[in-house]
């Protein structure tokens, strides 16, 4: 089964593997239901920052808030980057690639600004 295969592969990952960070923010991988909900759900898919904005634009929604972990990294301004010429969206897209370790975006979508 996919659950058994995941558990076999996961056990073999080195402790410092980025995917092992999952254990620091959730305990869902401890149960089969949680594992399916978190990683193996057939209707679940990952979104990049540009894809999130595309989804919101197409559906007339706003990203009203970002989860703390994502927000702190996405607002970071690296040295030698002129953030004054970038939109917030461009800065978020840049930082997603710059850090490359943001494994989960948590956003609040609304129809109206809050």
């Amino acid at each position: 089964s996919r659950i058994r295969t995941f558990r076999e592969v996961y056990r073999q990952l080195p402790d410092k593997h980025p995917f092992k960070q999952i254990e620091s923010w959730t305990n869902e991988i401890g149960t089969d239901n949680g594992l399916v909900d978190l990683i193996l759900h057939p209707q679940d898919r990952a979104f990049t920052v540009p894809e999130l904005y595309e989804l919101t634009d197409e559906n007339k929604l706003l990203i009203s808030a970002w989860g703390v972990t994502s927000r702190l990294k996405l607002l970071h301004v690296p040295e030698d980057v002129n953030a004054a010429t970038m939109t917030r969206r461009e800065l978020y897209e840049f930082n997603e690639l710059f850090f490359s370790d943001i494994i989960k975006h948590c956003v609040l979508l609304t129809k109206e600004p809050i």
Side-chain angles (χ1 to χ4, degrees):
S1 78
R2 294 182 319 157
I3 294 171
R4 186 172 39 254
T5 301
F6 173 85
R7 293 202 188 284
E8 288 172 11
V9 171
Y10 188 78
R11 267 193 294 275
Q12 295 175 42
L13 292 175
D15 288 339
K16 294 191 183 230
H17 189 281
F19 198 72
K20 289 281 189 151
Q21 291 178 15
I22 240 173
E23 296 170 350
S24 68
W25 55 266
T26 184
N27 62 0
E28 286 194 273
I29 61 169
T31 67
D32 289 351
N33 288 340
L35 180 60
V36 169
D37 184 47
L38 183 67
I39 297 171
L40 301 174
H41 197 284
Q43 293 179 329
D44 197 10
R45 67 171 295 257
F47 288 90
T48 62
V49 169
E51 289 172 330
L52 276 170
Y53 277 104
E54 186 177 306
L55 175 75
T56 59
D57 291 347
E58 289 173 358
N59 292 282
K60 296 179 176 60
L61 296 169
L62 301 169
I63 300 176
S64 293
W66 290 82
V68 174
T69 304
S70 292
R71 184 177 64 244
L72 293 176
K73 285 189 174 182
L74 294 174
L75 286 171
H76 174 75
V77 179
E79 287 184 34
D80 300 325
V81 171
N82 186 357
T85 63
M86 301 171 85
T87 65
R88 180 170 283 208
R89 177 179 178 165
E90 290 169 334
L91 181 62
Y92 283 10
E93 290 174 1
F94 176 87
N95 278 330
E96 181 178 44
L97 297 174
F98 178 78
F99 283 101
S100 74
D101 67 347
I102 301 173
I103 59 174
K104 181 178 181 180
H105 292 300
C106 196
V107 296
L108 173 64
L109 302 179
T110 60
K111 289 184 179 186
E112 304 289 330
I114 57 170

